[in-house]
Amino acid sequence: QVQLVDSGGGLVQAGGSLRLSCAASGRTFSSYGMGWFRQAPGKEREFVARIGWSGSTYYVDSVKGRFTISRDNAKNTVYLQMNSLKPEDTAVYYCAASRVFSTSENGMDYWGKGTLVTVSS
């Protein structure tokens, strides 16, 4: 069992930055791929970024060059550094964990409760 607690959301102006964190419980954190998803108001949840157990990363095109996912296995934590934020990045951001590589909601084994990011224009 893995429990995820995501945090770091808030209100920021367009062009600003935020760093989200996701703290995981459990001794097997390093064996999980970790991802971030987001759900904007009135829209379906979508994949944002993923980092594998080896550190390999994968991003949705709309955030490439602006967002960076990283992990610290010693701290059981994954981060999402978000720069050059845009109003369209406004959403609830969810941390997720999976044993196998997946960018699909259905492929995730565990979820955080989400943290709200609001980008004002």
Side-chain angles (χ1 to χ4, degrees):
Q1 188 78 6
V2 175
Q3 292 184 328
L4 304 175
V5 179
D6 28 34
S7 62
L11 173 65
V12 63
Q13 289 187 332
S17 299
L18 280 176
R19 188 176 80 157
L20 305 183
S21 299
C22 175
S25 65
R27 294 176 291 178
T28 59
F29 172 77
S30 61
S31 65
Y32 280 84
M34 301 297 298
W36 287 95
F37 290 72
R38 65 186 180 186
Q39 187 168 21
K43 296 187 177 180
E44 294 186 351
R45 190 154 52 182
E46 66 171 354
F47 167 79
V48 176
R50 175 181 175 84
I51 186 165
W53 60 268
S54 64
S56 60
T57 58
Y58 186 76
Y59 300 91
V60 68
D61 285 347
S62 60
V63 308
K64 284 181 180 177
R66 300 189 299 122
F67 291 11
T68 302
I69 188 171
S70 61
R71 66 190 298 162
D72 185 338
N73 290 336
K75 295 182 178 181
N76 279 13
T77 301
V78 63
Y79 304 97
L80 185 67
Q81 178 66 45
M82 305 186 295
N83 298 329
S84 302
L85 283 161
K86 304 175 181 180
E88 51 264 43
D89 294 318
T90 294
V92 177
Y93 284 71
Y94 297 89
C95 173
S98 68
R99 283 282 195 182
V100 299
F101 177 86
S102 178
T103 59
S104 168
E105 285 188 76
N106 294 333
M108 299 297 115
D109 299 309
Y110 303 101
W111 290 89
K113 293 184 177 181
T115 184
L116 176 63
V117 172
T118 304
V119 184
S120 63
S121 57

